[in-house]
Amino acid sequence: MKHIAVLGSTGSIGTQTLDVVRKHPEMMDVVALACGSRIDLIEKQAREFCPEIVAVYDEKAASDLAVRLADTNVKVLGGMDGLIEMCRIPTADVVVTAIVGMIGIRPTIAAIEAGKDIALANKETCVCAGHIILPLAAEKGVKILPVDSEHSAIFQALQGRAGSEIRRILLTASGGPFRGRTREELMNVTAAQALAHPTWSMGPKITVDSASMVNKGLEVIEAKWLFDVDVDQIEVVIQPQSIIHSAVEYEDGSILAQMGPSDMRIAIQYALTYPLHLPSPAVPLDFRTLAGLELGVPDNETFRGLPLAISAIRTGGSMPVVFNASNEWANAIFRRGDISFLQIYDVIEDTMSRHSVIAAPTVDEIFAVQDEIDAYCEEKYNS
Ligand code: NDP
Ligand code: MG
């Protein structure tokens, strides 16, 4: 039996993780859940899965939940301390990091320190703190199993690697809802339009990141850390149908790709059942419904999320933190309707250009950089 803790159980990845657990009750159970504030849903999850611990970041919501769950044996915790304790729960074998944003850094580190394997969805943590979590995981002997569909695909294509060197990673991208549009055509796009993703159903932050191609930029940095490759070895390929989830090219020219339906539950499940491919809740792909699989190159002039990320990781040190933190701020403000879509790039470029790089930032330094960026952006772009 694999005992699972789900950090961010009420979101898109979190709820799909619970679907995977429902599919395999004989081999998995849930020992801990956590969310930000949505206690109606986490209460239902707690009653269904009977975890030992439920952590809610919002302290008031945590107190309300404790009252509601008073008739159960569930221990309810609040705040960052609660998330950290939840990730360290002695009975968990693996923590699924399905929380959104760099708020996931401290709980993820706590889980690794406690010897838990990580099923990593929370890419912002890898982007900002890859230099901390990957060496720590190696030191503690814990596995970092990718949940992001592209990284799961690469991980799967690497299974037959043996001693072979890889030439390139081909990281696919759907291109999002605005693929093919010009800069002029993006001037007045709204959050509602950005949130209408053509192939994936995901949480709001990553959906907007997909529209801006910032998501692909985060994924290039994530791939660099997870697979220990040079950024020049990663090539982004547009695959609008999201059927080819990514590929690895070996030195002899052979390319191994992983394909499948656009259903995150396959990647989530593989992270939990690795190295086994078991029956999953996903509907199998019907090739007769595919008119044709297209491949193309990204438009980096219009969608600057990708080149800005590559520039950030080439600079290294704290620059990926700046890329990520300024995007977290801009993404949230865009969704509130307070800045335009194209301003997301301006905010990222502006904050990156003024930053003095810290070589290998500590966790405290990472959050100090985020605080500085939030204060600067509020003042300059939102007052
Ligand atoms: P959602 O917005 O759907 O869910 C986010 C989850 O994080 C919710 O459970 C939310 O709780 C929780 N959360 C937010 N803030 C806090 C906090 N301060 N403390 C505790 N919990 C918090 O996001 P997604 O599921 O889409 O994405 C999660 C992560 O997975 C992201 O890093 C994303 O990039 C990555 N990812 C997602 C994919 C997808 O298909 N959705 C694909 C690949 C990667 P609450 O509901 O209470 O707010
Ligand atoms: Mg992805």
Side-chain angles (χ1 to χ4, degrees), residues 237-254:
V237 178
I238 300 291
Q239 207 293 287
Q241 295 79 21
S242 304
I243 298 296
I244 303 175
H245 297 305
S246 280
V248 173
E249 181 182 7
Y250 287 92
E251 284 194 311
D252 58 358
S254 182

Side-chain angles (χ1 to χ4, degrees), residues 7-14 16 34-39 41 55-58 80 83 97-101 103 121-124 147-150 200-206 209 215 218-219 264:
L7 178 65
S9 64
T10 50
S12 162
I13 294 290
Q16 294 181 87
C35 74
S37 59
R38 278 196 283 166
I39 55 170
L41 181 51
V56 180
Y57 182 73
D58 182 292
M80 178 52 71
L83 300 185
T97 62
I99 189 169
V100 60
I103 185 97
N122 178 219
K123 62 189 83 181
E124 297 90 349
V147 165
D148 211 344
S149 57
E150 296 77 3
W200 293 104
S201 165
M202 309 180 285
K205 191 261 178 183
I206 184 176
D209 284 349
N215 181 52
L218 295 170
E219 290 184 355
M264 285 306 298

Side-chain angles (χ1 to χ4, degrees), residues 72-90:
T72 69
N73 292 324
V74 178
K75 181 171 169 189
V76 178
L77 304 169
M80 178 52 71
D81 289 347
L83 300 185
I84 288 175
E85 185 174 338
M86 171 270 179
C87 283
R88 287 190 182 138
I89 180 171

Side-chain angles (χ1 to χ4, degrees), residues 139-155:
E139 182 195 322
K140 297 286 175 188
V142 312
K143 295 191 203 65
I144 307 277
L145 299 148
V147 165
D148 211 344
S149 57
E150 296 77 3
H151 304 74
S152 176
I154 296 160
F155 183 60

